[in-house]
Structures are given as C-alpha cells and as structure tokens.
Amino acid sequence: MDYLLNKFTSSGPKKLKIALIGQSNFAADVLELLLSDGHEVVGVFTIPDKGSREDILAVTAKNHDIPVFKFSVWRKKGVAIPDVLEKYKSVGANLNVLPFCSQFIPMEVIDGAALGSICYHPSILPRHRGASAISWTLIEGDAIGGFSIFWADDGLDTGPILLQKEVEVEDSDTLDSIYKRFLYPEGVTSMGEAVRLVAAGTAPKITQTEEGATYDPPMFKEENQIINLNQPAKAIFNFIRGLDSVPGAIAYALDENEDEVMIRLFGSQMFDDPIPDGKPLKLKGLTTPALVTEKGLLITGSDGKVVNVQRIKKGSKMISSSKWFDQTSGQVTLELTDAEKAIETSLKGIWESILKVDITEDTDFFACGAGSMDVVRLIEEVKDAYDVGLENETLFMAPTFQEFFTQLILVSRQGSSSGEINVEYDGFVLKANKREISVPTQLFINGKFVDAENGRTLDIVNPTTEEVLCKVALASKNDVDVAVKAAHEAFKGPWSQVSARQRGQLMFKLADLMEQHKEELATIEAVDSGAVYTLALKTHVGMSIDVWRYFAGWTDKIEGSTIPVNPARPNNVLTFTKREPIGVCGLITPWNYPLMMLSWKMAACIAAGNTVVLKPAQVCPLTALKFAELSVKAGFPPGVINITAGTGSITGQAIADHPLVRKLGFTGSTPIGKKIMASCAESNIKKCSLELGGKSPLVIFADCDLDKAVRLGMSAVFFNKGENCIAAGRIFVEEKVHDDFVRRVLKDLKTMTIGDPLNRSTAHGPQNHRAHMEKLVEYCEIGVKEGAKLVAGGKRVPGMKGFFFQPTVFTDVEDHMYIAQEESFGPVMVISKFKGSDVEAIVKRANNTEYGLASGIFTKDISKALLFAEQVEAGTVFVNTYNKTDVAAPFGGFKQSGFGKDLGREALNEYLKTKCVTIEF
C-alpha cells in the first residue's frame, strides 16, 4: 500500500483549500459537509444555467459567498481552454473534489492542485468503469453494488482507490432506489471522510487491478437503451430496472399495420402469479406477444418466465401499462390560442423556479419532492400571473404539468375567477319544487361519471306518483372492480399526498357546497325517497352538512399515544402508537335517509384518510349521485369517492367480496347484515361495522309529562313515515295512563296531513317504494290475525295515487306476537300495557328481543330513569325525549342490531387501524 506524503506538521490535520467541481444536490450536500468540517472551498465549478434555472450547487455556493464558475466545456479538440484554465488557477486550490461531475476535466486541472483530485464513482471499481456504472450494476444482476472514491488520473476511472463502500443489491432495487437508499447518503458522508483522510495525510492510494475490469457502454446514448427481448426474463427485468426511472428501456410496439411505435418501459417485476386474462400487444423482437392485463404488461422471456411492466412512456406521456389500449380515454385535448401558448411557456418557468428541474408534460409536482409550502406558492403565483382563482386541491387532482396546465386553461376559459369546476355527465332535469335541477344518472368512478358495463340501467320510481323518474346506471361486478381499483390507486397515490389539515379543508368546502345546494338536495330527496321536503331540508340534508363539518374538524386531531413499557436495561425503550387509515372502504347505505346515511359513514371514513366505494340504496340513489358532482367541485382527487348504484345482490355483494376493500360499513336489515358479515370473513377478513334492525322499546310511566310523552311518542313512531331505524317499535304504557295516551294519539292522528312531500303543510309522505308498502299491509294483517287490536290505519290510503300508507295504531299487543317481535320500519305504533310498580319487570320486557339499537323512557322519577338506562340493552337511551341524535354523539346498537358506531369521535375508530412502534435506544 502506497500512502500520500504527509505535507503537514505533526500537530494534526490541516484545513484545506478546495475546488469543488460537479453539480446536483449530491455535490451541494458535499459542499455543506466540507464547510462544516472547517475547510475553505475557494471555488465552485459547475454547469451553465438551464434557461433561468441555476444548478443547486451554484445556488448553495452563492449562499456561502463562494466564487462560482460555470463552464459548458473545459477543453476543445483535446486541449484545455486557456481562459477556463486561468480561472481555475485563480482560486489557488490545493485539492480538487469531484463529488458528481458529468464533464470531462482536463489533466491540467486534475493535476493542478498540490494534493491532486479525488472523484466519486458509483461502482466498486474496477468493475463497471464508465459513465453508466449504476445502471450496469443492475443490468448485469450484480449481487453487490457500491461506490469508489479514487484519485483521478488520465484514464477512464483507472486511478488509485482512496476508499470504497459496498451494499447488497436487493431484488426490488431500481436505479432510483439504490441511489436514494445508499449511493447518495453514504456517498456524501464518505466524500467528507475521504477529505478528512487527505487532510490528515493518511489517505491511501491503492492501485487498481485490471482483473475483473469492465468498460460498459454509456446509457445516455439512445442506441444503448434498446432492450433485447429475446433473452431470459431475469435479464429483461434487470435491463428495465437498470434504466428506471430515467431514461427508460426502449422497446418497439407494433400497431395493426405492423408499424413500429417507440415506447419506454418502467417498473419491472418478476411475475409468478397465474396469468390473468388480457389483450395481446406485439413487441419487436418478442416471439410470443406481450399481454396487457389488469396487473400490467406481461412479457415472457426466452426461458418461459414472465416479467411484469407497470408503466409505459409513449412520447412524453407516461401511462399505466394496464391502460395501454384505452390510453386516450378521458384525456382533454385543447386547441391553444397564441395567448394560451404563452401561458404554457411562462407556467413552465414557474414550475421550474419551484421544483429546480426541467419541466416536461409528465413532470409530477409531488414526485419531484414538493411540499405544502410549494403547493401554496404555485397556486398564489398562478393567481397573481393569470388572475385565475385555482385552489390547492386543483393540484392534487392534476399533479402533472400537462394536467395542471389543462385545468388552468379550462378554468380561464370559463371567464370566472372562482375556479368552479364544470362536471360533465349524462342525466336528466328534475322539474319540481319550482326548480329545474340537473341530476346525474351514471356511475361515478375515478372522478368521472361513466356508463355501467353494457349500458345496463335500472328504473327509479317516484313514490308519490308511481311513475318512472329516470333510469340510473346499474353497476356490475366489473364496474365495482374498476371503482375499487381506482380507490386503491388514489389511496396509495394522490390522496396520500393530501395532509390531514388539507383533507379537512376539502371536507369543509364540500359542506359549504352542500349548503349552497341544500334546497336542490332536499328536493331530490323528497322526490326520490318520499321524504317530506321540510324534514329533508332540516334533517336529511341539514344533518348531513353538520356531519361533514364535524368530522372535518377531526382530521388533524387523530393522534396516537406514548406508552410506558418495561425498559430493556441498560437501554431504554420508547413505545408509541400511530392511528392510520385502513385503505379502501366499502359503504352500503339504506333507503330511509339516503344522503344522511351516506354522510354519517363517509364523512368519518374520509376524515380518517381512507378512500371510498359506496353503493347507495337501489331505489333512491339520486342524492348520492348529486353529492358526487359536488365532491368534484370541492376538489377531491379522482378515485377518493366512488358511487356505484346498483342492486344488493350484485353491486353490494361485489363490494363485500372484493379483496382490495379492507373495511365495510353497512346499514340495513339484520338478515342482510348476517350475509355481509359472512362475506367479509370469507373474502379477506375485512373489518366491518353493522347498523342493523331495531325494535326499540319506549316506556311511558304514569308520572311523566303526558302531553310531552304523547307528542314525542308519536314522533318516535311516525317520524320520517316510520322509516327510521331507531323508531319506537314497542311502546309500553303504564296502565294508569294507557287509555288516555291512546285517546290523545288517535286525536292527533286526525290532524296529520298526508300527501305530496313537496307541500309545505304535509306531515306524512309516501313510503319509499311499493314492495315496502305491501310489506306493511301484510305486517298489519298478521297483527290482526294474532289478536292485537287495530284502532287506526293498517291499510294503504284509499283513493290516493302513490305509496301512501295510513298511520297505524295497535293496542292490546302481547309480547309473543309477531308485531311485538319484528320491525315494521313503517308508521305502525305498537302499544302494550304494564304495571308501574315493578320497574325491573318492564326493563326485562324491554330487553326481551334480539335487537338493541335504541330505547326511551318518560318519567319524572330520576331513580327509575337511571335504573332503566343502566339495565336496558340498547346502544342509545333517551330520557324524556326521543330521536335526539347529534353528530357528536356516538350512534350504534347491541346484539342483532349490529356493532360499531356512526357519529362522534368513536366513529373514527371504525375507519382507523392502530400500529404499535417500539424503539430501543
């Protein structure tokens, strides 16, 4: 081993005068490290500006008042340029450091410093000498990679070695990953270490051997980037990853005329799964056509093994390889005016000034490392430059330059500074309530309204007129699959880039839009589901708005905790938990509160950071589809919210069975809930929460305020036409006041106005759909047959078109009867007597059911109330009130009424998972 002559005194290392020659963040970080070690960097030599953008090394040097020199070339015809050489000599360096240098430096400079020149090279020399060493490490399938710092000489990376560092090359490594994981961070540190060895006079000079040396072609030449597809799959895989993410391996696709189309391949993986169905794609040099599948582009090597390619670049456009054959769908093509072309040029300048990279059409703002302040800066600069009021969310929806520019032009053409987004869809115009409301009728998938597979539709019937209102797209299993995959991609991609606070801002904006359109939403709800308009305005829509605002406030308050655990002496241990979103959540909502049930579940789900595929009720999906339109205008990225209208047996079942759905929230009947739970278990053991049937007891003691008990007791049964999951399905009245209670109820029933839900005086609208109305008729017939006394109603309203059912009252109901055990889900009051002397006996009767959703008690005796609240088996207990729900109060049942909570802080738990992290230090 030959050591550098120690030119320093015995007092120790000296501080050096260094000329830094290179470029990029790597060189900038080396500069900072050398300065922190106390060395004097007397000059920085880097590449010229690209347009208005300086290399980051030049910017960093100027921040430290270091002289900067920018040379496009250092020599001409093999001879050093005198002016360049003179400027180099002017700084008086005694060591040249080349941390990342893409230029050829003449020997007059290499030897111009007294201590010589040290250079960083990304390979374990002597293997892979040349400009593309990292690529060849991967292309050749080396098990070991690393870097060398060598003493530069007049050869091609042939100078003596100063130090080397090695790393195992993982099967998943790409050009990017190995650089970020090891070559960059360890390389910067080792450059500092090498300079310290030089300063101390202990830096070795180990002569390179020629044994094992390779001289690999430079991969910056296009002819060297062409992949040979006639080789084993592992070699194909290695070649692609060796050029990932730049410049990409070149292949040639053959179109229907056998013409060659140049493409670049990215994201290779060895593929060992069963081959899925796909469409063949001919590639030049490949005997067996490649296969475009939902998994990616599958290429079979000469050994019969398969490589999966995830992304294809055609021209400047990067697409998912699975979408090769529909790559043009959904794209917006703009014919630009001269003024708009000027905007495109200046907008590129804004992006370059922020990102410090060359901007192409597919430059991804976030993939370039941009943060939240960069988002704000871009949006504000765009507002200032073009007087167009885009929102931060626009960038989340359109993160690439071309997508963002397209949105900018589309908004500017609208002539509005509000930046409101126009949403295109097929639908119909609802003319009702003195309004004309445009309503979508397509599925909403990945941010767009689309037809169902094969154009299938289902009829939506107006329950007031019994006429077909419109036809809505009917989602198939394949449609659900597309929606779930869109939600999965959004969860892993754009949605993960949205911070918790920004997520809350999106939710607040959506709530504001719902408020602006509340009359439209309430009108749709009244016509589509039969809800009385005034109730729809206050509850169906009003509470929906409240719940979005409530959970918007929770987004940045979802926290883990630190946990004291036994330390591992002599070390310490830190244990903490993280609350994380689950992923894609499936939601299946009922027909009694279409918009409100959507909001109860989805707001908590979105607040927790998940993405959603929702199936609204088959019979009334229209407010869900209108809501989807508003979500686009609010700025939610594509794929975060998906609405798939359809049947429970096909659409709902497909959501429950899908392996990418990790959580399912369901509100509906107990029998269907059991099937849902079984599907969740059999598919992938997905987490589920169920809000199912109820037969809620309401106990009225003689010592209560009877006027209030009658008024709220009627509301407890007849609210929302009885289509209310917590409706009082059994009313127990103390015998002392039983007859008086019944008399007052019957009297008040006569004043209840039944009719058109859009009429402001209407108190009782039609049942939601025909099948339910017919079920209510049958329910009442069973009650009469078993001996209960029908004192009011029990039939369809005579002489009135629409699904109108008479408010009904049964008395003398015994606990064993069908109507005392089973839910009607309609306007049917079931009354039983009890003796007030035995409180525990009436609680026992109240609990004599498999349901446990809600309950209520009217009494002035606080002891009775508290005893009832303690012993009743129900998720909600109302005392001297009923139907008093609030967005901040948890809602959910026990027993066969399901499990899990909607609303309140507890609802977030349904859509979060807890991760425990333990660190020993």
Side-chain angles (χ1 to χ4, degrees), residues 312-330:
I312 298 175
K313 189 173 185 180
K314 180 182 176 183
S316 61
K317 183 67 175 177
M318 183 82 76
I319 61 173
S320 170
S321 53
S322 63
K323 302 188 185 316
W324 171 260
F325 287 109
D326 58 353
Q327 58 189 289
T328 58
S329 63

Side-chain angles (χ1 to χ4, degrees), residues 20-36 41 44-46 54-64 66 68 97-101 179 184 187-189 191-192 356:
L20 194 68
I21 306 173
Q23 64 195 81
S24 82
N25 284 298
F26 184 92
D29 283 354
V30 171
L31 170 60
E32 295 281 8
L33 182 58
L34 297 179
L35 293 174
S36 69
V41 178
V44 162
F45 299 83
T46 188
E54 286 187 294
D55 186 82
I56 187 63
L57 176 59
V59 174
T60 305
K62 287 181 179 179
N63 290 338
H64 291 285
I66 298 170
V68 176
V97 175
L98 287 70
F100 189 92
C101 183
Y179 180 67
Y184 186 116
V188 170
T189 301
M191 285 300 288
K356 309 298 183 188

Side-chain angles (χ1 to χ4, degrees), residues 287-362:
T287 304
T288 303
L291 201 62
V292 176
T293 74
E294 62 179 12
K295 300 289 187 181
L297 178 68
L298 302 185
I299 299 173
T300 302
S302 59
D303 57 353
K305 296 183 178 179
V306 179
V307 178
N308 186 14
V309 177
Q310 293 293 306
R311 300 180 302 283
I312 298 175
K313 189 173 185 180
K314 180 182 176 183
S316 61
K317 183 67 175 177
M318 183 82 76
I319 61 173
S320 170
S321 53
S322 63
K323 302 188 185 316
W324 171 260
F325 287 109
D326 58 353
Q327 58 189 289
T328 58
S329 63
Q331 295 181 4
V332 178
T333 302
L334 299 175
E335 292 292 333
L336 300 178
T337 65
D338 290 341
E340 289 170 343
K341 290 177 182 176
I343 290 175
E344 183 177 22
T345 300
S346 63
L347 181 63
K348 280 187 177 179
I350 293 174
W351 276 54
E352 286 179 350
S353 68
I354 296 172
L355 300 178
K356 309 298 183 188
V357 298
D358 293 330
I359 304 300
T360 62
E361 286 185 352
D362 60 338

Side-chain angles (χ1 to χ4, degrees), residues 105-126:
I105 310 301
M107 289 307 299
E108 290 89 340
V109 174
I110 294 296
D111 293 335
L115 298 177
S117 301
I118 62 172
C119 185
Y120 172 89
H121 187 83
S123 79
I124 303 297
L125 291 171

Side-chain angles (χ1 to χ4, degrees), residues 75-79:
R75 65 179 190 170
K76 286 184 179 178
K77 297 181 179 179
V79 178

